[in-house]
Amino acid sequence: MSDNVTPMHPKKKNLRKLIVRIVAAVCVLALVAAVVVVAVRNDLTDFGAVRRYFRYRNASDTETFGQYSYDAHNANRFAAYDEGLALASVGGLQLLDDYTGEIYSFHENISSPKVLTAGEFALMYDVGGTRLVLAHATRGELLSQKAAEPVLDANLTSTGAVCYIASEGNYKAVIPVYNADQQQIYTWYSASAYFNQVALSPDAKTLAAVSIGQTGAVFGSSLVILHTDSTEIQATASLGDTLVYELDFLSDNTLCAWTENGLVFFTEEAAERGRYEPGAQIEKADLNGSGFAALWLQSDLAGEEGFVVTIGADGTEKGRLAFEEQILDLSVCGGYVTVLTAQRLCVFDEAMQLYAETDVTYGATRALQRADGSVVLTASSNAVLYLP
């Protein structure tokens, strides 16, 4: 007798599946409609405003919402993550939540702390030291690494993938890569060149690094592209006799290098897409925009303290705005650009069109833009959240 059994009522089973699919589709449409209705009724004109509405609509019920406190120290380094603030200090790493205060801490003596954030992840490392720690806002500590040699640079993606530069044994540079599960999936060993900057693509498939060297009396930097499924160099590009201060991906296929002269944009195959050389002193560059970067430039014009320019991946300006008052900080995240001056805080879109502003800055010296449009204002021993 055969083991195959034919259902007696296949049509009823198919009908049941169809009904489930229809109900699921209706629920999705209802949710979308509800979001649209809420957006219209509350005059929410962009997706960031919708996110803020649902994320913070009950915030007033908590007296301590959006207030953070910490020990003052001139070595403190800050970065904003989704719904919180990350602090790297000489004592370690703290994650501070918008509502409940400290939710994670790592304690160790750190000589030169630096902190990076992406999504709900925070990466702290000791520049020139050996400690590196990755933590998540709800999952706690995910990776605690002690390198054999000093860590020079590190990078973090929104999925929690990590890479960093150190040295090991007879190699001039070693670059390990950890995936979103914090498993080491790749290591690049360099016996012939030193590296000082590294970046990992959002999908963690492409590793970019800057090598530095000297041929005769000529100093030079080069961009090196690697794939995490190959042991071969995929592409290289010369950056000339200039120092590279920062390297990062603006998207899966666009890379930006901040050099002494300005910004240079590359594809993930190291082909140059464009460059922007302002001819003015760069006070700060921020490469955290969605497909764009921003520069705070010193002005030589009377009556101008400085100006901010946003630059697209082809090297052309997307927006420009001059400021008569002293600029204190520039911060970019997602589609928002924040400029903190001595008198006010302004949030712009990527074209430098004003989105929101306030003259209440709580004595802050730094502003940390978040992807939903909110901004964390930090001072020496406390910080405050601003919601546009």
Side-chain angles (χ1 to χ4, degrees), residues 24-43:
V26 170
C27 290
V28 171
L29 289 173
L31 179 60
V32 172
V35 170
V36 172
V37 169
V38 169
V40 171
R41 286 183 177 177
N42 293 275
D43 193 27

Side-chain angles (χ1 to χ4, degrees), residues 202 248-252 254-256 265 287-293 311-313:
D248 211 349
F249 279 87
L250 302 182
S251 64
D252 275 336
T254 302
L255 187 67
C256 183
F265 301 88
L287 313 184
N288 292 312
S290 294
F292 72 98
I311 306 99

Side-chain angles (χ1 to χ4, degrees), residues 17 44 60 64 124 157 159 206 210 224 232 235 254 274 276 289 294 333 383:
K17 288 183 178 179
L44 308 181
S60 59
T64 58
M124 182 273 293
T157 75
T159 62
T206 303
V210 174
V224 177
E232 303 294 327
T254 302
Y276 184 84
C333 189

Side-chain angles (χ1 to χ4, degrees), residues 186-240:
Y186 180 83
T187 306
W188 173 255
Y189 296 93
S190 173
S192 60
Y194 294 99
F195 287 80
N196 73 327
Q197 294 291 327
V198 68
L200 190 61
S201 64
D203 60 10
K205 293 181 179 180
T206 303
L207 181 70
V210 174
S211 67
I212 53 177
Q214 188 170 327
T215 303
V218 180
F219 167 85
S221 297
S222 296
L223 175 67
V224 177
I225 300 295
L226 304 157
H227 289 171
T228 55
D229 60 357
S230 172
T231 59
E232 303 294 327
I233 292 178
Q234 302 299 310
T236 61
S238 174
L239 292 166

Side-chain angles (χ1 to χ4, degrees), residues 7-20:
M8 296 299 293
H9 303 289
K11 292 184 178 180
K12 289 185 178 181
K13 188 174 181 179
N14 292 337
L15 180 60
R16 190 179 300 113
K17 288 183 178 179
L18 179 60
I19 292 173
V20 171

